[in-house]
């Protein structure tokens, strides 16, 4: 086996389980508060599916934020995309490979088929090439073709002092409303559901 082949094998064999493990570990050692979610839960109760959209730079903790049953994620065909694919598959997500620069049209068609079949879709509307945090037309076309509402999702972290353990991280997962492609809504109100974690000894318990 050549050096480059060995490098690729190690990269794709070792990094995905390590990456998935680190994400799960972070989910256990930080206090997570979820703002929003009531309207998303109501959509699921009605049997509806959604398009989840989050900025490309916010993808680290997204596997822990998903609230539905089955989601297909648009991931680029680049080598880094292969790593992301292998990591998210360990959380039960399925991938559709393509981007605006490679395989985009075929990927869009596949996402439309999946969206009409009754599953959630996940996209980064600014894409890996950017411009950063600028929505591209693809997610709008996807919403129009499937009739699914776009639900924006973001994740942020901050540090707060803990009385027992010094400094711990607080992570905020925010679902920022339902932006329907049908025009029935005039905005994207922030929803008000919260999940917090409190510290008990050396462990964290949900409340």
């Amino acid at each position: 086996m050549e050096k480059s082949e060995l490098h690729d094998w190690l990269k794709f064999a070792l990094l995905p389980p390590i990456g998935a493990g680190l994400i799960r570990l972070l989910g256990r050692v930080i206090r997570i508060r979820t703002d929003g979610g009531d309207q998303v839960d109501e959509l699921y109760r009605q049997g509806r599916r959604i398009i989840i959209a989050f900025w490309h730079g916010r993808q680290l903790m997204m596997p822990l934020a998903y609230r539905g049953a089955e989601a297909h994620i648009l991931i680029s065909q680049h080598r880094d995309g292969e790593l992301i694919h292998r990591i998210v598959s360990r959380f039960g997500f399925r991938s559709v490979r393509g981007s605006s620069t490679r395989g985009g049209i075929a990927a869009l068609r596949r996402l439309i088929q999946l969206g009409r079949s009754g599953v959630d879709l996940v996209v980064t509307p600014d894409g890996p090439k950017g411009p950063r945090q600028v929505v591209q037309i693809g997610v709008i076309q996807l919403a129009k073709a499937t009739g699914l509402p776009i639900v924006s999702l973001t994740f942020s972290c901050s540090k707060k002092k803990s009385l027992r353990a010094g400094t711990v991280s607080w992570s905020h997962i925010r679902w920022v409303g339902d932006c329907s492609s049908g025009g029935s809504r005039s905005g994207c109100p922030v929803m008000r559901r919260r999940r917090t974690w409190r510290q008990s000894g050396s462990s964290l318990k949900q409340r």
Side-chain angles (χ1 to χ4, degrees), residues 152-168:
S152 55
L153 176 64
T154 191
F155 172 86
S156 62
C157 294
S158 62
K159 291 184 177 180
K160 293 191 176 182
K161 290 184 177 180
S162 169
L163 294 178
R164 295 192 180 187
T167 302
V168 296

Side-chain angles (χ1 to χ4, degrees), residues 32 56 73 77 104 120 134 162 190:
I32 300 177
H56 189 260
I73 306 177
Q77 296 180 359
D120 292 329
V134 175
S162 169
V190 175

Side-chain angles (χ1 to χ4, degrees), residues 9-144:
W9 182 86
L10 291 173
K11 179 179 179 180
F12 292 112
L14 298 181
L15 289 184
I18 293 174
L22 288 175
I23 292 173
R24 289 192 174 97
L25 178 62
L26 284 172
R28 291 179 178 275
V29 301
I30 61 178
R31 299 181 182 184
I32 300 177
R33 187 185 75 193
T34 301
D35 294 328
D38 289 346
Q39 294 183 21
V40 174
D41 291 340
E42 180 59 29
L43 288 172
Y44 286 142
R45 283 192 290 267
Q46 296 173 6
R48 300 184 63 187
R49 296 295 176 261
I50 61 178
I51 298 172
I52 300 171
F54 58 83
W55 299 130
H56 189 260
R58 295 289 191 271
Q59 60 187 318
L60 175 62
M61 299 299 286
M62 292 307 159
L64 302 181
Y66 181 58
R67 308 168 72 87
E70 181 180 352
H72 292 248
I73 306 177
L74 179 63
I75 299 176
S76 73
Q77 296 180 359
H78 191 269
R79 294 175 65 84
D80 289 342
E82 180 63 23
L83 278 177
I84 296 172
H85 158 71
R86 296 192 183 198
I87 291 173
V88 299
S89 66
R90 292 175 174 269
F91 293 90
F93 296 101
R94 300 182 181 181
S95 302
V96 175
R97 306 299 299 275
S99 66
S100 58
T101 58
R102 185 177 177 185
I105 295 177
L108 179 61
R109 290 174 179 170
R110 179 58 179 158
L111 287 172
I112 291 172
Q113 292 175 347
L114 290 167
R116 291 174 176 175
S117 72
V119 301
D120 292 329
L121 307 177
V122 184
V123 298
T124 51
D126 54 346
K129 296 291 186 180
R132 183 173 179 268
Q133 296 189 357
V134 175
V135 176
Q136 303 300 306
I137 192 63
V139 66
I140 307 300
Q141 295 173 334
L142 184 60
K144 289 182 176 179

Side-chain angles (χ1 to χ4, degrees), residues 51-54 150-154 174-179 188 191:
I51 298 172
I52 300 171
F54 58 83
I150 301 171
V151 176
S152 55
L153 176 64
T154 191
R174 184 180 296 273
W175 294 84
V176 194
D178 163 12
C179 303
C188 301
M191 297 172 285

